[in-house]
Amino acid sequence: MLRDLADYRCLVFDCDGVVLDSNAVKTRAFHEVALPFGADAAQAFVDYHQANGGISRYRKFEYFLRDIAGAADAQALLPGLLERYAAAVRQGLLDCAVAPGLQALRAQLPESRWLIVSGGDEAELRDVFSVRGLDGLFDGGIFGSPTPKDSILARELASGNITGPSLFLGDSRFDYLCAHEAGLDFVFLDGWSEFHHAAVFFADKPVAVRRDIQALLGSEGTP
């Protein structure tokens, strides 16, 4: 269930598909980088990526090389794939749309602490958010891979940076699982999500669903 937003001391945001309309940017980049291994391998990788939103690129490329491409020299190939992927996504992250209502929500909740906890690369996230003038919204910090999302949440809870009640805004199955494990409330934003089986997955779970951040403005906690 979703409480009145003013009741939350912390809001934790995923980035891709929540703050930035960047899911398609990253899907295209995964396909492009995997294409030299063959069209079937590239499509299989896209399918895996979309079914596992929120998981870091490091784990995804390790899986691709080991389980899809069957590369014998996976560890040797991994740095080059990661570098090409980062180059492919950077401009897209700088150009893609920012969630409507983000600034208005910040104005509505001036006392809450905001964090980014993403599967995206941490250094890349901090750079992009700085260039786009978004970093100042997230006074609790901007965090990402290679540290896994669930480990970030556990660390920030232990340090007192995340204090309850807290809400996680995500767009993937993994976001929900991480939030649930950490004891955070969760709202699923479906407007930019690539989680194709979300309706089935959330059917028996007391999770609020909204289109985007704009739709949260004025929320009174109804699912």
Side-chain angles (χ1 to χ4, degrees), residues 115-135:
L115 297 82
I116 292 287
V117 177
S118 172
D121 181 81
E122 185 170 285
E124 178 182 87
L125 285 167
R126 291 177 176 179
D127 176 55
V128 167
F129 274 59
S130 176
V131 172
R132 301 199 66 167
L134 299 172
D135 53 336

Side-chain angles (χ1 to χ4, degrees), residues 54-195:
I55 295 176
S56 79
R57 69 189 64 177
Y58 300 89
R59 288 175 58 185
K60 287 178 179 177
F61 275 112
E62 287 172 351
Y63 177 88
F64 171 72
L65 290 168
R66 182 184 66 243
D67 296 297
I68 295 177
D73 52 349
Q75 289 306 308
L77 292 171
L78 183 59
L81 293 184
L82 289 168
E83 183 177 347
R84 289 194 291 277
Y85 174 81
V89 300
R90 176 174 166 75
Q91 194 59 48
L93 292 175
L94 292 173
D95 292 340
C96 66
V98 176
L102 183 67
Q103 298 280 357
L105 184 64
R106 199 41 166 141
Q108 181 176 306
L109 304 171
E111 302 301 321
S112 61
R113 180 180 295 127
W114 283 22
L115 297 82
I116 292 287
V117 177
S118 172
D121 181 81
E122 185 170 285
E124 178 182 87
L125 285 167
R126 291 177 176 179
D127 176 55
V128 167
F129 274 59
S130 176
V131 172
R132 301 199 66 167
L134 299 172
D135 53 336
L137 299 175
F138 299 94
D139 54 324
I142 296 171
F143 306 107
S145 62
T147 306
K149 188 174 292 186
D150 49 355
S151 297
I152 295 171
L153 289 174
R155 182 191 70 206
E156 298 306 310
L157 280 162
S159 73
N161 193 31
I162 297 175
T163 55
S166 297
L167 175 67
F168 194 112
L169 294 85
D171 72 325
S172 70
R173 175 180 177 273
F174 189 59
D175 288 341
Y176 166 78
L177 294 174
C178 289
H180 183 71
E181 180 182 353
L184 277 61
D185 289 352
F186 182 78
V187 58
F188 178 71
L189 302 183
D190 65 359
W192 291 333
S193 176
E194 292 186 338
F195 182 19

Side-chain angles (χ1 to χ4, degrees), residues 11 36 76 118 197:
L11 269 64
S118 172
H197 304 293

